[in-house]
């Protein structure tokens, strides 16, 4: 999964970087770096385990840590 695909998946799930970080037990700064273009010097490749988890989330899996949104 490319950084742009990862970012698009997060947005499709309606999560902020902080919320996704809480779900993945990862700092929001790390999420930000995973989403950066590879040409930036501070960019990191997307963690393969996180990419796999994103595919599960897109498929409908929701762990207990998933953020709850108020209804209304």
């Amino acid at each position: 999964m490319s950084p742009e695909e990862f970012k698009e998946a997060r947005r499709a799930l309606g999560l902020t970087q902080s919320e996704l970080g809480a779900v993945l037990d990862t700092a929001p700064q790390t999420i930000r770096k995973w989403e950066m273009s590879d040409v930036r010097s501070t960019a990191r490749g997307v963690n393969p385990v996180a990419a796999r988890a994103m595919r599960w989330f897109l498929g409908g899996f929701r762990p207990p840590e998933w953020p709850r949104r108020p209804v209304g």
Side-chain angles (χ1 to χ4, degrees):
M1 180 175 276
S2 73
E4 186 59 36
E5 291 170 328
F6 190 84
K7 185 178 197 174
E8 298 231 355
R10 177 183 57 78
R11 288 180 173 170
L13 292 166
L15 297 173
T16 65
Q17 290 175 339
S18 293
E19 290 170 333
L20 182 57
V23 170
L24 295 175
D25 195 26
T26 302
Q29 296 87 342
T30 301
I31 302 295
R32 182 176 46 80
K33 288 180 181 182
W34 288 345
E35 293 181 352
M36 283 184 185
S37 169
D38 293 333
V39 297
R40 304 241 349 226
S41 64
T42 58
R44 294 183 189 172
V46 176
N47 179 297
V49 175
R52 186 175 306 128
M54 289 298 274
R55 289 185 192 94
W56 294 336
F57 301 156
L58 289 169
F61 173 75
R62 299 294 184 263
E65 301 82 9
W66 198 261
R68 308 252 188 267
R69 300 272 195 262
V71 177

